[in-house]
Amino acid sequence: GHHETPGNLLALVHVLDGKTPDAWLMSIAASSFEPGDGLTKEAERNLQKALHWIRNWLTEQPCMKLA
């Protein structure tokens, strides 16, 4: 995903499956992108916040429930 666009990934799914799924894009703020570096503490916090938001959003959708 780092070197590909969301649109191209959806196009690939369409070519392979004949359908284009619904999709959402979420960006997570980070400050260091050196090869081989792990997540910074800031990025890890932002990731956890994003996951929390996604879980809440999914449980609010009438057709999507987390197991």
Side-chain angles (χ1 to χ4, degrees):
H2 286 273
H3 302 288
E4 197 50 78
T5 67
N8 283 345
L9 292 173
L10 289 171
L12 177 61
V13 170
H14 182 76
V15 167
L16 295 174
D17 191 38
K19 301 173 189 169
T20 304
D22 291 338
W24 297 265
L25 175 66
M26 176 177 273
S27 297
I28 300 171
S31 57
S32 176
F33 300 96
E34 295 301 318
D37 283 354
L39 291 177
T40 63
K41 289 182 182 183
E42 174 190 15
E44 180 63 37
R45 280 192 303 273
N46 292 337
L47 173 61
Q48 293 306 315
K49 288 178 185 178
L51 290 172
H52 178 75
W53 187 92
I54 291 167
R55 286 184 184 110
N56 285 339
W57 184 82
L58 287 173
T59 58
E60 292 172 3
Q61 300 306 306
C63 63
M64 298 178 170
K65 296 292 180 191
L66 294 177

